[in-house]
Amino acid sequence: SQATITPIVVDSSPEEHVLIRFDNIIGYGTNQIPRGSTITSATLTLRVGSGTNDQSANPVNFHRLLNPWVATDVWAAYGVAPWNSTGGVQADDVDAASTIDATATMATANTAYPVTVTATVQAWANAPSTNYGWVILPTGTDGLRLQSSESTTVSYRPLLSVTFTPPVSQCTT
């Protein structure tokens, strides 16, 4: 329900999850990573809000989403097929991978935090149709507020930086 606001909240009391994705990053067009590339490094940079208590001492976990989603969906949309029957997004290998892709503690307000996501982007380069982004799940009740793509300051918006080597082209006759 926070698709058009910033900052967005990750918390377990009340339960709030953040979904984030970067569409069409794999392909053969301008500014795309060619399918099958070797990902040398991938970093997701997120900025904590500048308000009092926007930071959190509790880490958050990043899990790869397994289903397509719509930015304007609300909590109730994630308790029906293809999602499992529990509201919200679960790291249960139905909604999101149970394996944690990354963990980050963002303990200072108004600060940008780099999160290493190389393995995830490599998986997407190998199978672009699996790029549904991440769900960011809380590990405690100290809520974290993150700048979103709606931030009026462009440099505060989430940023995915990727270094890669394109696949070797093979000529066939």
Side-chain angles (χ1 to χ4, degrees):
S1 65
Q2 299 177 15
T4 60
I5 65 169
T6 196
I8 50 180
V9 181
V10 182
D11 200 351
S12 65
S13 180
E15 194 80 18
E16 296 183 70
H17 304 159
V18 167
L19 279 63
I20 185 170
R21 70 174 175 236
F22 294 84
D23 293 330
N24 301 314
I25 61 171
I26 310 297
Y28 297 103
T30 303
N31 297 321
Q32 289 184 307
I33 301 163
R35 182 182 183 136
S37 291
T38 299
I39 307 303
T40 307
S41 69
T43 304
L44 173 62
T45 303
L46 298 172
R47 187 174 192 89
V48 176
S50 59
T52 303
N53 295 321
D54 280 0
Q55 73 281 358
S56 176
N58 296 142
V60 292
N61 293 327
F62 295 72
H63 296 264
R64 205 171 314 164
L65 285 162
L66 302 176
N67 297 297
W69 53 279
V70 177
T72 54
D73 278 349
V74 295
W75 187 268
Y78 301 103
V80 296
W83 307 89
N84 72 31
S85 60
T86 304
V89 177
Q90 312 303 311
D92 60 359
D93 294 322
V94 175
D95 294 349
S98 59
T99 303
I100 298 170
D101 282 4
T103 298
T105 302
M106 301 180 201
T108 305
N110 202 30
T111 301
Y113 286 89
V115 180
T116 300
V117 292
T118 306
T120 304
V121 178
Q122 182 64 68
W124 294 339
N126 295 341
S129 64
T130 64
N131 177 7
Y132 301 119
W134 296 275
V135 61
I136 306 173
L137 298 176
T139 63
T141 58
D142 184 16
L144 173 66
R145 288 158 193 81
L146 299 168
Q147 294 289 336
S148 72
S149 59
E150 282 73 27
S151 178
T152 56
T153 304
V154 173
S155 64
Y156 288 4
R157 295 175 183 170
L159 174 68
L160 181 63
S161 303
V162 181
T163 303
F164 64 92
T165 302
V168 176
S169 297
Q170 296 186 3
C171 182
T172 59
T173 57

PDB file of all heavy atoms in Angstrom, residues 120-158:
ATOM      1  N   THR A 120      22.332 -13.092  -7.068  1.00  0.00           N
ATOM      2  CA  THR A 120      20.978 -12.919  -7.596  1.00  0.00           C
ATOM      3  C   THR A 120      21.000 -12.421  -9.033  1.00  0.00           C
ATOM      4  O   THR A 120      20.302 -12.964  -9.901  1.00  0.00           O
ATOM      5  CB  THR A 120      20.180 -11.919  -6.740  1.00  0.00           C
ATOM      6  OG1 THR A 120      20.164 -12.363  -5.394  1.00  0.00           O
ATOM      7  CG2 THR A 120      18.762 -11.781  -7.253  1.00  0.00           C
ATOM      8  N   VAL A 121      21.785 -11.395  -9.301  1.00  0.00           N
ATOM      9  CA  VAL A 121      21.834 -10.844 -10.656  1.00  0.00           C
ATOM     10  C   VAL A 121      22.414 -11.868 -11.623  1.00  0.00           C
ATOM     11  O   VAL A 121      21.981 -11.963 -12.775  1.00  0.00           O
ATOM     12  CB  VAL A 121      22.586  -9.495 -10.678  1.00  0.00           C
ATOM     13  CG1 VAL A 121      22.684  -8.955 -12.100  1.00  0.00           C
ATOM     14  CG2 VAL A 121      21.866  -8.480  -9.785  1.00  0.00           C
ATOM     15  N   GLN A 122      23.357 -12.690 -11.165  1.00  0.00           N
ATOM     16  CA  GLN A 122      23.877 -13.768 -12.021  1.00  0.00           C
ATOM     17  C   GLN A 122      22.759 -14.744 -12.372  1.00  0.00           C
ATOM     18  O   GLN A 122      22.634 -15.168 -13.527  1.00  0.00           O
ATOM     19  CB  GLN A 122      25.022 -14.512 -11.339  1.00  0.00           C
ATOM     20  CG  GLN A 122      25.630 -15.605 -12.209  1.00  0.00           C
ATOM     21  CD  GLN A 122      26.289 -15.050 -13.463  1.00  0.00           C
ATOM     22  OE1 GLN A 122      27.309 -14.359 -13.366  1.00  0.00           O
ATOM     23  NE2 GLN A 122      25.737 -15.330 -14.634  1.00  0.00           N
ATOM     24  N   ALA A 123      21.934 -15.088 -11.402  1.00  0.00           N
ATOM     25  CA  ALA A 123      20.805 -15.992 -11.674  1.00  0.00           C
ATOM     26  C   ALA A 123      19.862 -15.373 -12.699  1.00  0.00           C
ATOM     27  O   ALA A 123      19.359 -16.067 -13.582  1.00  0.00           O
ATOM     28  CB  ALA A 123      20.066 -16.314 -10.379  1.00  0.00           C
ATOM     29  N   TRP A 124      19.616 -14.084 -12.587  1.00  0.00           N
ATOM     30  CA  TRP A 124      18.746 -13.413 -13.558  1.00  0.00           C
ATOM     31  C   TRP A 124      19.394 -13.353 -14.934  1.00  0.00           C
ATOM     32  O   TRP A 124      18.706 -13.465 -15.950  1.00  0.00           O
ATOM     33  CB  TRP A 124      18.391 -12.018 -13.085  1.00  0.00           C
ATOM     34  CG  TRP A 124      17.542 -11.981 -11.851  1.00  0.00           C
ATOM     35  CD1 TRP A 124      16.739 -12.993 -11.363  1.00  0.00           C
ATOM     36  CD2 TRP A 124      17.405 -10.902 -10.947  1.00  0.00           C
ATOM     37  NE1 TRP A 124      16.121 -12.592 -10.209  1.00  0.00           N
ATOM     38  CE2 TRP A 124      16.509 -11.304  -9.932  1.00  0.00           C
ATOM     39  CE3 TRP A 124      17.944  -9.631 -10.888  1.00  0.00           C
ATOM     40  CZ2 TRP A 124      16.149 -10.472  -8.873  1.00  0.00           C
ATOM     41  CZ3 TRP A 124      17.586  -8.796  -9.841  1.00  0.00           C
ATOM     42  CH2 TRP A 124      16.694  -9.222  -8.856  1.00  0.00           C
ATOM     43  N   ALA A 125      20.713 -13.162 -14.997  1.00  0.00           N
ATOM     44  CA  ALA A 125      21.405 -13.144 -16.296  1.00  0.00           C
ATOM     45  C   ALA A 125      21.306 -14.504 -16.970  1.00  0.00           C
ATOM     46  O   ALA A 125      21.227 -14.599 -18.196  1.00  0.00           O
ATOM     47  CB  ALA A 125      22.871 -12.749 -16.122  1.00  0.00           C
ATOM     48  N   ASN A 126      21.295 -15.569 -16.163  1.00  0.00           N
ATOM     49  CA  ASN A 126      21.173 -16.921 -16.703  1.00  0.00           C
ATOM     50  C   ASN A 126      19.739 -17.264 -17.096  1.00  0.00           C
ATOM     51  O   ASN A 126      19.524 -18.053 -18.018  1.00  0.00           O
ATOM     52  CB  ASN A 126      21.679 -17.943 -15.680  1.00  0.00           C
ATOM     53  CG  ASN A 126      23.161 -17.798 -15.398  1.00  0.00           C
ATOM     54  OD1 ASN A 126      23.899 -17.197 -16.167  1.00  0.00           O
ATOM     55  ND2 ASN A 126      23.591 -18.326 -14.276  1.00  0.00           N
ATOM     56  N   ALA A 127      18.769 -16.704 -16.396  1.00  0.00           N
ATOM     57  CA  ALA A 127      17.342 -16.986 -16.641  1.00  0.00           C
ATOM     58  C   ALA A 127      16.541 -15.714 -16.401  1.00  0.00           C
ATOM     59  O   ALA A 127      15.951 -15.530 -15.331  1.00  0.00           O
ATOM     60  CB  ALA A 127      16.860 -18.122 -15.737  1.00  0.00           C
ATOM     61  N   PRO A 128      16.521 -14.795 -17.387  1.00  0.00           N
ATOM     62  CA  PRO A 128      15.886 -13.497 -17.200  1.00  0.00           C
ATOM     63  C   PRO A 128      14.415 -13.551 -16.773  1.00  0.00           C
ATOM     64  O   PRO A 128      13.936 -12.646 -16.093  1.00  0.00           O
ATOM     65  CB  PRO A 128      16.022 -12.824 -18.574  1.00  0.00           C
ATOM     66  CG  PRO A 128      17.151 -13.521 -19.229  1.00  0.00           C
ATOM     67  CD  PRO A 128      17.150 -14.921 -18.704  1.00  0.00           C
ATOM     68  N   SER A 129      13.711 -14.596 -17.135  1.00  0.00           N
ATOM     69  CA  SER A 129      12.288 -14.672 -16.788  1.00  0.00           C
ATOM     70  C   SER A 129      12.060 -14.871 -15.295  1.00  0.00           C
ATOM     71  O   SER A 129      10.931 -14.786 -14.818  1.00  0.00           O
ATOM     72  CB  SER A 129      11.605 -15.793 -17.568  1.00  0.00           C
ATOM     73  OG  SER A 129      12.152 -17.047 -17.187  1.00  0.00           O
ATOM     74  N   THR A 130      13.126 -15.112 -14.531  1.00  0.00           N
ATOM     75  CA  THR A 130      12.990 -15.287 -13.084  1.00  0.00           C
ATOM     76  C   THR A 130      13.208 -13.984 -12.313  1.00  0.00           C
ATOM     77  O   THR A 130      13.186 -13.988 -11.081  1.00  0.00           O
ATOM     78  CB  THR A 130      13.977 -16.346 -12.555  1.00  0.00           C
ATOM     79  OG1 THR A 130      15.320 -15.884 -12.763  1.00  0.00           O
ATOM     80  CG2 THR A 130      13.776 -17.686 -13.252  1.00  0.00           C
ATOM     81  N   ASN A 131      13.392 -12.874 -13.014  1.00  0.00           N
ATOM     82  CA  ASN A 131      13.632 -11.585 -12.356  1.00  0.00           C
ATOM     83  C   ASN A 131      12.315 -10.965 -11.897  1.00  0.00           C
ATOM     84  O   ASN A 131      11.673 -10.233 -12.636  1.00  0.00           O
ATOM     85  CB  ASN A 131      14.373 -10.622 -13.281  1.00  0.00           C
ATOM     86  CG  ASN A 131      14.568  -9.254 -12.643  1.00  0.00           C
ATOM     87  OD1 ASN A 131      14.273  -9.037 -11.482  1.00  0.00           O
ATOM     88  ND2 ASN A 131      15.070  -8.326 -13.426  1.00  0.00           N
ATOM     89  N   TYR A 132      11.951 -11.252 -10.662  1.00  0.00           N
ATOM     90  CA  TYR A 132      10.782 -10.629 -10.039  1.00  0.00           C
ATOM     91  C   TYR A 132      11.215  -9.687  -8.922  1.00  0.00           C
ATOM     92  O   TYR A 132      10.369  -9.149  -8.217  1.00  0.00           O
ATOM     93  CB  TYR A 132       9.833 -11.698  -9.479  1.00  0.00           C
ATOM     94  CG  TYR A 132       9.331 -12.654 -10.530  1.00  0.00           C
ATOM     95  CD1 TYR A 132       9.596 -14.013 -10.436  1.00  0.00           C
ATOM     96  CD2 TYR A 132       8.598 -12.205 -11.627  1.00  0.00           C
ATOM     97  CE1 TYR A 132       9.136 -14.902 -11.393  1.00  0.00           C
ATOM     98  CE2 TYR A 132       8.137 -13.085 -12.592  1.00  0.00           C
ATOM     99  CZ  TYR A 132       8.409 -14.434 -12.469  1.00  0.00           C
ATOM    100  OH  TYR A 132       7.960 -15.305 -13.420  1.00  0.00           O
ATOM    101  N   GLY A 133      12.520  -9.530  -8.730  1.00  0.00           N
ATOM    102  CA  GLY A 133      13.022  -8.643  -7.693  1.00  0.00           C
ATOM    103  C   GLY A 133      13.160  -9.348  -6.358  1.00  0.00           C
ATOM    104  O   GLY A 133      13.264 -10.572  -6.280  1.00  0.00           O
ATOM    105  N   TRP A 134      13.165  -8.534  -5.305  1.00  0.00           N
ATOM    106  CA  TRP A 134      13.344  -9.034  -3.941  1.00  0.00           C
ATOM    107  C   TRP A 134      12.190  -8.588  -3.057  1.00  0.00           C
ATOM    108  O   TRP A 134      11.573  -7.560  -3.303  1.00  0.00           O
ATOM    109  CB  TRP A 134      14.596  -8.462  -3.297  1.00  0.00           C
ATOM    110  CG  TRP A 134      15.887  -8.818  -3.910  1.00  0.00           C
ATOM    111  CD1 TRP A 134      16.637  -9.938  -3.673  1.00  0.00           C
ATOM    112  CD2 TRP A 134      16.642  -8.052  -4.851  1.00  0.00           C
ATOM    113  NE1 TRP A 134      17.788  -9.912  -4.412  1.00  0.00           N
ATOM    114  CE2 TRP A 134      17.819  -8.763  -5.144  1.00  0.00           C
ATOM    115  CE3 TRP A 134      16.435  -6.823  -5.486  1.00  0.00           C
ATOM    116  CZ2 TRP A 134      18.781  -8.292  -6.021  1.00  0.00           C
ATOM    117  CZ3 TRP A 134      17.389  -6.365  -6.367  1.00  0.00           C
ATOM    118  CH2 TRP A 134      18.548  -7.092  -6.637  1.00  0.00           C
ATOM    119  N   VAL A 135      11.971  -9.339  -1.999  1.00  0.00           N
ATOM    120  CA  VAL A 135      11.191  -8.858  -0.864  1.00  0.00           C
ATOM    121  C   VAL A 135      12.206  -8.610   0.239  1.00  0.00           C
ATOM    122  O   VAL A 135      13.141  -9.394   0.436  1.00  0.00           O
ATOM    123  CB  VAL A 135      10.091  -9.856  -0.411  1.00  0.00           C
ATOM    124  CG1 VAL A 135      10.681 -11.194   0.032  1.00  0.00           C
ATOM    125  CG2 VAL A 135       9.246  -9.241   0.705  1.00  0.00           C
ATOM    126  N   ILE A 136      12.055  -7.492   0.916  1.00  0.00           N
ATOM    127  CA  ILE A 136      12.909  -7.174   2.058  1.00  0.00           C
ATOM    128  C   ILE A 136      12.068  -7.441   3.299  1.00  0.00           C
ATOM    129  O   ILE A 136      11.024  -6.818   3.495  1.00  0.00           O
ATOM    130  CB  ILE A 136      13.400  -5.716   2.010  1.00  0.00           C
ATOM    131  CG1 ILE A 136      14.083  -5.427   0.672  1.00  0.00           C
ATOM    132  CG2 ILE A 136      14.332  -5.439   3.189  1.00  0.00           C
ATOM    133  CD1 ILE A 136      14.454  -3.968   0.466  1.00  0.00           C
ATOM    134  N   LEU A 137      12.539  -8.387   4.105  1.00  0.00           N
ATOM    135  CA  LEU A 137      11.789  -8.827   5.281  1.00  0.00           C
ATOM    136  C   LEU A 137      12.490  -8.403   6.567  1.00  0.00           C
ATOM    137  O   LEU A 137      13.717  -8.442   6.653  1.00  0.00           O
ATOM    138  CB  LEU A 137      11.608 -10.346   5.264  1.00  0.00           C
ATOM    139  CG  LEU A 137      10.807 -10.914   4.088  1.00  0.00           C
ATOM    140  CD1 LEU A 137      10.798 -12.440   4.136  1.00  0.00           C
ATOM    141  CD2 LEU A 137       9.383 -10.368   4.095  1.00  0.00           C
ATOM    142  N   PRO A 138      11.709  -8.043   7.580  1.00  0.00           N
ATOM    143  CA  PRO A 138      12.290  -7.622   8.853  1.00  0.00           C
ATOM    144  C   PRO A 138      12.768  -8.811   9.676  1.00  0.00           C
ATOM    145  O   PRO A 138      12.323  -9.939   9.480  1.00  0.00           O
ATOM    146  CB  PRO A 138      11.107  -6.939   9.551  1.00  0.00           C
ATOM    147  CG  PRO A 138       9.912  -7.676   9.033  1.00  0.00           C
ATOM    148  CD  PRO A 138      10.244  -7.999   7.596  1.00  0.00           C
ATOM    149  N   THR A 139      13.669  -8.543  10.611  1.00  0.00           N
ATOM    150  CA  THR A 139      14.086  -9.560  11.574  1.00  0.00           C
ATOM    151  C   THR A 139      13.717  -9.146  12.992  1.00  0.00           C
ATOM    152  O   THR A 139      13.995  -9.873  13.937  1.00  0.00           O
ATOM    153  CB  THR A 139      15.606  -9.816  11.514  1.00  0.00           C
ATOM    154  OG1 THR A 139      16.290  -8.616  11.884  1.00  0.00           O
ATOM    155  CG2 THR A 139      16.033 -10.273  10.132  1.00  0.00           C
ATOM    156  N   GLY A 140      13.128  -7.963  13.140  1.00  0.00           N
ATOM    157  CA  GLY A 140      12.757  -7.468  14.468  1.00  0.00           C
ATOM    158  C   GLY A 140      11.698  -6.392  14.373  1.00  0.00           C
ATOM    159  O   GLY A 140      11.178  -6.112  13.294  1.00  0.00           O
ATOM    160  N   THR A 141      11.397  -5.780  15.508  1.00  0.00           N
ATOM    161  CA  THR A 141      10.296  -4.817  15.584  1.00  0.00           C
ATOM    162  C   THR A 141      10.751  -3.364  15.501  1.00  0.00           C
ATOM    163  O   THR A 141       9.932  -2.466  15.646  1.00  0.00           O
ATOM    164  CB  THR A 141       9.508  -5.017  16.900  1.00  0.00           C
ATOM    165  OG1 THR A 141      10.415  -4.860  17.997  1.00  0.00           O
ATOM    166  CG2 THR A 141       8.857  -6.387  16.940  1.00  0.00           C
ATOM    167  N   ASP A 142      12.035  -3.129  15.264  1.00  0.00           N
ATOM    168  CA  ASP A 142      12.529  -1.770  15.095  1.00  0.00           C
ATOM    169  C   ASP A 142      12.445  -1.433  13.611  1.00  0.00           C
ATOM    170  O   ASP A 142      13.311  -1.809  12.829  1.00  0.00           O
ATOM    171  CB  ASP A 142      13.973  -1.676  15.604  1.00  0.00           C
ATOM    172  CG  ASP A 142      14.524  -0.262  15.545  1.00  0.00           C
ATOM    173  OD1 ASP A 142      13.727   0.689  15.402  1.00  0.00           O
ATOM    174  OD2 ASP A 142      15.757  -0.105  15.629  1.00  0.00           O
ATOM    175  N   GLY A 143      11.374  -0.764  13.205  1.00  0.00           N
ATOM    176  CA  GLY A 143      11.102  -0.501  11.799  1.00  0.00           C
ATOM    177  C   GLY A 143      12.200   0.280  11.095  1.00  0.00           C
ATOM    178  O   GLY A 143      12.861   1.138  11.679  1.00  0.00           O
ATOM    179  N   LEU A 144      12.397  -0.037   9.826  1.00  0.00           N
ATOM    180  CA  LEU A 144      13.375   0.619   8.958  1.00  0.00           C
ATOM    181  C   LEU A 144      12.613   1.337   7.853  1.00  0.00           C
ATOM    182  O   LEU A 144      11.726   0.757   7.226  1.00  0.00           O
ATOM    183  CB  LEU A 144      14.320  -0.431   8.351  1.00  0.00           C
ATOM    184  CG  LEU A 144      15.310   0.058   7.294  1.00  0.00           C
ATOM    185  CD1 LEU A 144      16.334   1.013   7.912  1.00  0.00           C
ATOM    186  CD2 LEU A 144      16.000  -1.128   6.635  1.00  0.00           C
ATOM    187  N   ARG A 145      12.965   2.596   7.607  1.00  0.00           N
ATOM    188  CA  ARG A 145      12.324   3.371   6.555  1.00  0.00           C
ATOM    189  C   ARG A 145      13.354   3.677   5.471  1.00  0.00           C
ATOM    190  O   ARG A 145      14.404   4.243   5.751  1.00  0.00           O
ATOM    191  CB  ARG A 145      11.727   4.644   7.134  1.00  0.00           C
ATOM    192  CG  ARG A 145      10.494   4.351   7.959  1.00  0.00           C
ATOM    193  CD  ARG A 145      10.176   5.450   8.964  1.00  0.00           C
ATOM    194  NE  ARG A 145       9.187   4.987   9.921  1.00  0.00           N
ATOM    195  CZ  ARG A 145       9.452   4.232  10.982  1.00  0.00           C
ATOM    196  NH1 ARG A 145      10.676   3.839  11.223  1.00  0.00           N
ATOM    197  NH2 ARG A 145       8.504   3.845  11.809  1.00  0.00           N
ATOM    198  N   LEU A 146      13.026   3.290   4.238  1.00  0.00           N
ATOM    199  CA  LEU A 146      13.939   3.418   3.105  1.00  0.00           C
ATOM    200  C   LEU A 146      13.369   4.363   2.062  1.00  0.00           C
ATOM    201  O   LEU A 146      12.168   4.343   1.784  1.00  0.00           O
ATOM    202  CB  LEU A 146      14.168   2.051   2.466  1.00  0.00           C
ATOM    203  CG  LEU A 146      14.800   0.987   3.354  1.00  0.00           C
ATOM    204  CD1 LEU A 146      14.699  -0.379   2.681  1.00  0.00           C
ATOM    205  CD2 LEU A 146      16.243   1.343   3.661  1.00  0.00           C
ATOM    206  N   GLN A 147      14.252   5.136   1.446  1.00  0.00           N
ATOM    207  CA  GLN A 147      13.832   5.969   0.321  1.00  0.00           C
ATOM    208  C   GLN A 147      13.402   5.051  -0.824  1.00  0.00           C
ATOM    209  O   GLN A 147      14.006   4.001  -1.034  1.00  0.00           O
ATOM    210  CB  GLN A 147      14.975   6.876  -0.127  1.00  0.00           C
ATOM    211  CG  GLN A 147      15.376   7.904   0.886  1.00  0.00           C
ATOM    212  CD  GLN A 147      14.336   9.005   1.040  1.00  0.00           C
ATOM    213  OE1 GLN A 147      13.544   9.285   0.148  1.00  0.00           O
ATOM    214  NE2 GLN A 147      14.348   9.655   2.191  1.00  0.00           N
ATOM    215  N   SER A 148      12.385   5.442  -1.554  1.00  0.00           N
ATOM    216  CA  SER A 148      11.863   4.619  -2.640  1.00  0.00           C
ATOM    217  C   SER A 148      12.118   5.291  -3.982  1.00  0.00           C
ATOM    218  O   SER A 148      12.701   6.370  -4.061  1.00  0.00           O
ATOM    219  CB  SER A 148      10.361   4.395  -2.443  1.00  0.00           C
ATOM    220  OG  SER A 148       9.643   5.591  -2.713  1.00  0.00           O
ATOM    221  N   SER A 149      11.634   4.658  -5.035  1.00  0.00           N
ATOM    222  CA  SER A 149      11.774   5.222  -6.378  1.00  0.00           C
ATOM    223  C   SER A 149      10.979   6.514  -6.537  1.00  0.00           C
ATOM    224  O   SER A 149      11.161   7.227  -7.508  1.00  0.00           O
ATOM    225  CB  SER A 149      11.348   4.201  -7.437  1.00  0.00           C
ATOM    226  OG  SER A 149      10.014   3.819  -7.233  1.00  0.00           O
ATOM    227  N   GLU A 150      10.135   6.817  -5.579  1.00  0.00           N
ATOM    228  CA  GLU A 150       9.355   8.055  -5.618  1.00  0.00           C
ATOM    229  C   GLU A 150      10.065   9.220  -4.936  1.00  0.00           C
ATOM    230  O   GLU A 150       9.529  10.327  -4.887  1.00  0.00           O
ATOM    231  CB  GLU A 150       7.980   7.842  -4.975  1.00  0.00           C
ATOM    232  CG  GLU A 150       6.994   7.119  -5.865  1.00  0.00           C
ATOM    233  CD  GLU A 150       7.299   5.632  -6.023  1.00  0.00           C
ATOM    234  OE1 GLU A 150       7.912   5.034  -5.116  1.00  0.00           O
ATOM    235  OE2 GLU A 150       6.933   5.072  -7.068  1.00  0.00           O
ATOM    236  N   SER A 151      11.268   9.017  -4.405  1.00  0.00           N
ATOM    237  CA  SER A 151      11.989  10.098  -3.739  1.00  0.00           C
ATOM    238  C   SER A 151      12.160  11.267  -4.701  1.00  0.00           C
ATOM    239  O   SER A 151      12.504  11.075  -5.870  1.00  0.00           O
ATOM    240  CB  SER A 151      13.358   9.621  -3.262  1.00  0.00           C
ATOM    241  OG  SER A 151      14.062  10.695  -2.670  1.00  0.00           O
ATOM    242  N   THR A 152      11.940  12.474  -4.216  1.00  0.00           N
ATOM    243  CA  THR A 152      12.107  13.656  -5.071  1.00  0.00           C
ATOM    244  C   THR A 152      13.582  13.946  -5.340  1.00  0.00           C
ATOM    245  O   THR A 152      13.908  14.637  -6.294  1.00  0.00           O
ATOM    246  CB  THR A 152      11.436  14.887  -4.441  1.00  0.00           C
ATOM    247  OG1 THR A 152      11.982  15.081  -3.135  1.00  0.00           O
ATOM    248  CG2 THR A 152       9.937  14.717  -4.370  1.00  0.00           C
ATOM    249  N   THR A 153      14.468  13.399  -4.515  1.00  0.00           N
ATOM    250  CA  THR A 153      15.904  13.521  -4.746  1.00  0.00           C
ATOM    251  C   THR A 153      16.355  12.265  -5.486  1.00  0.00           C
ATOM    252  O   THR A 153      16.383  11.176  -4.919  1.00  0.00           O
ATOM    253  CB  THR A 153      16.668  13.669  -3.412  1.00  0.00           C
ATOM    254  OG1 THR A 153      16.136  14.780  -2.692  1.00  0.00           O
ATOM    255  CG2 THR A 153      18.162  13.856  -3.654  1.00  0.00           C
ATOM    256  N   VAL A 154      16.666  12.417  -6.758  1.00  0.00           N
ATOM    257  CA  VAL A 154      16.976  11.276  -7.621  1.00  0.00           C
ATOM    258  C   VAL A 154      18.100  10.424  -7.042  1.00  0.00           C
ATOM    259  O   VAL A 154      18.039   9.195  -7.067  1.00  0.00           O
ATOM    260  CB  VAL A 154      17.312  11.751  -9.056  1.00  0.00           C
ATOM    261  CG1 VAL A 154      17.798  10.598  -9.920  1.00  0.00           C
ATOM    262  CG2 VAL A 154      16.093  12.412  -9.686  1.00  0.00           C
ATOM    263  N   SER A 155      19.125  11.031  -6.472  1.00  0.00           N
ATOM    264  CA  SER A 155      20.261  10.266  -5.948  1.00  0.00           C
ATOM    265  C   SER A 155      19.900   9.445  -4.703  1.00  0.00           C
ATOM    266  O   SER A 155      20.690   8.612  -4.272  1.00  0.00           O
ATOM    267  CB  SER A 155      21.437  11.199  -5.634  1.00  0.00           C
ATOM    268  OG  SER A 155      21.081  12.108  -4.604  1.00  0.00           O
ATOM    269  N   TYR A 156      18.720   9.656  -4.122  1.00  0.00           N
ATOM    270  CA  TYR A 156      18.273   8.878  -2.962  1.00  0.00           C
ATOM    271  C   TYR A 156      17.510   7.626  -3.374  1.00  0.00           C
ATOM    272  O   TYR A 156      17.251   6.768  -2.548  1.00  0.00           O
ATOM    273  CB  TYR A 156      17.364   9.713  -2.063  1.00  0.00           C
ATOM    274  CG  TYR A 156      18.054  10.807  -1.283  1.00  0.00           C
ATOM    275  CD1 TYR A 156      19.409  11.098  -1.443  1.00  0.00           C
ATOM    276  CD2 TYR A 156      17.339  11.568  -0.380  1.00  0.00           C
ATOM    277  CE1 TYR A 156      20.022  12.110  -0.721  1.00  0.00           C
ATOM    278  CE2 TYR A 156      17.939  12.578   0.350  1.00  0.00           C
ATOM    279  CZ  TYR A 156      19.277  12.850   0.176  1.00  0.00           C
ATOM    280  OH  TYR A 156      19.872  13.839   0.896  1.00  0.00           O
ATOM    281  N   ARG A 157      17.150   7.519  -4.618  1.00  0.00           N
ATOM    282  CA  ARG A 157      16.373   6.366  -5.085  1.00  0.00           C
ATOM    283  C   ARG A 157      17.236   5.099  -5.102  1.00  0.00           C
ATOM    284  O   ARG A 157      18.459   5.182  -5.235  1.00  0.00           O
ATOM    285  CB  ARG A 157      15.839   6.639  -6.493  1.00  0.00           C
ATOM    286  CG  ARG A 157      14.837   7.777  -6.524  1.00  0.00           C
ATOM    287  CD  ARG A 157      14.414   8.113  -7.935  1.00  0.00           C
ATOM    288  NE  ARG A 157      13.513   9.257  -7.929  1.00  0.00           N
ATOM    289  CZ  ARG A 157      13.124   9.902  -9.008  1.00  0.00           C
ATOM    290  NH1 ARG A 157      13.555   9.499 -10.210  1.00  0.00           N
ATOM    291  NH2 ARG A 157      12.305  10.916  -8.913  1.00  0.00           N
ATOM    292  N   PRO A 158      16.605   3.921  -4.974  1.00  0.00           N
ATOM    293  CA  PRO A 158      17.371   2.671  -5.055  1.00  0.00           C
ATOM    294  C   PRO A 158      18.180   2.609  -6.353  1.00  0.00           C
ATOM    295  O   PRO A 158      17.707   3.030  -7.413  1.00  0.00           O
ATOM    296  CB  PRO A 158      16.285   1.594  -5.035  1.00  0.00           C
ATOM    297  CG  PRO A 158      15.141   2.238  -4.317  1.00  0.00           C
ATOM    298  CD  PRO A 158      15.175   3.685  -4.753  1.00  0.00           C
TER     299      PRO A 158
END
